[in-house]
């Protein structure tokens, strides 16, 4: 499944955005203070098109110092992969963590490993994690920008409620 995704990303290379909408975490500056209330506008059921298919992303209300999410990519009527993760309050700031699964729920990462994205900056309409940005367009539309590690290129996901 990873080979399929890498091939798909290579083929769709023309859809990558060249503008820089993401920021990099700086160890010297660290993460700013923030709470889940600062990012609560992400909550909801979101749908969009990207990576050659339909994407669904669902974010829960903040509870227990976390906002949980699930992501699903469906290509040609079949699940290509899932993501499961959360934004958690940790040490007076926020941390985005996620894990990937194939269409049969076999994990891509080792059981004890997650992808971690440290908070860089928060505004009223943007949440910048390391190479991962949420942008509020309206109450019913968001963009998510992700820098793919393999290519170093940034991709835009547009979602609507």
């Amino acid at each position: 499944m990873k080979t399929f995704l890498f091939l798909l990303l290579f083929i769709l290379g023309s859809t990558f955005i060249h503008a820089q909408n993401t920021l990099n975490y700086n160890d010297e500056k660290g993460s700013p203070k923030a709470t889940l209330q600062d990012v609560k506008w992400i909550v909801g059921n979101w749908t969009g098109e990207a990576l050659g298919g339909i994407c669904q992303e669902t974010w829960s209300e903040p509870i227990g110092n976390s906002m949980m999410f699930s992501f699903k990519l469906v290509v040609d009527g079949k699940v290509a992969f899932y993501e499961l993760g959360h934004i958690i309050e940790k040490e007076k700031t926020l941390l985005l963590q996620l894990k990937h699964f194939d269409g049969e729920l076999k994990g891509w990462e080792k059981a004890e490993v997650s992808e971690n994205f440290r908070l860089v900056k928060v505004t009223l309409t943007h949440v910048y994690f390391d190479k991962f940005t949420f942008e509020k367009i309206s109450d019913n539309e968001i963009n998510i920008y992700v820098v793919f590690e393999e290519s170093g290129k940034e991709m835009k996901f547009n979602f609507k409620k």
Side-chain angles (χ1 to χ4, degrees):
M1 182 53 70
K2 283 185 182 180
T3 303
F4 166 76
L5 182 59
F6 294 132
L7 181 60
L8 183 63
L9 290 174
F10 178 76
I11 292 169
L12 295 173
S14 63
T15 65
F16 284 98
I17 293 176
H18 297 289
Q20 192 69 16
N21 295 288
T22 54
L23 299 174
N24 293 322
Y25 178 78
N26 181 327
D27 278 327
E28 291 179 19
K29 290 183 179 179
S31 292
K33 290 184 180 181
T35 70
L36 293 173
Q37 293 306 309
D38 297 319
V39 301
K40 189 175 176 182
W41 54 264
I42 299 171
V43 170
N45 297 311
W46 304 93
T47 303
E49 293 182 23
L51 301 172
I54 304 296
C55 301
Q56 293 180 325
E57 187 154 313
T58 301
W59 282 88
S60 71
E61 291 280 341
I63 187 170
N65 292 328
S66 77
M67 285 174 50
M68 184 179 71
F69 82 92
S70 63
F71 171 91
K72 174 171 59 173
L73 171 63
V74 176
V75 177
D76 296 327
K78 295 184 180 178
V79 173
F81 73 95
Y82 297 102
E83 287 178 350
L84 182 63
H86 60 195
I87 297 174
I88 60 170
E89 288 183 7
K90 186 173 184 176
E91 298 172 2
K92 298 184 181 178
T93 190
L94 301 174
L95 177 67
L96 170 64
Q97 296 181 298
L98 62 88
K99 293 178 80 68
H100 296 89
F101 301 87
D102 69 15
E104 296 180 1
L105 291 179
K106 292 180 183 149
W108 292 3
E109 296 89 7
K110 292 181 181 180
E112 66 279 0
V113 175
S114 64
E115 290 195 36
N116 299 318
F117 302 88
R118 293 181 180 177
L119 184 65
V120 177
K121 180 179 177 180
V122 178
T123 71
L124 292 177
T125 58
H126 290 77
V127 182
Y128 298 92
F129 290 96
D130 184 38
K131 299 179 185 96
F132 204 114
T133 300
F134 295 85
E135 176 186 36
K136 180 180 181 178
I137 304 301
S138 71
D139 289 342
N140 295 312
E141 184 177 5
I142 61 172
N143 290 325
I144 298 176
Y145 301 92
V146 179
V147 175
F148 286 91
E149 190 173 320
E150 301 79 31
S151 67
K153 294 191 178 183
E154 181 180 281
M155 185 173 183
K156 174 183 172 182
F157 293 80
N158 176 258
F159 289 100
K160 294 184 174 126
K161 282 187 181 178

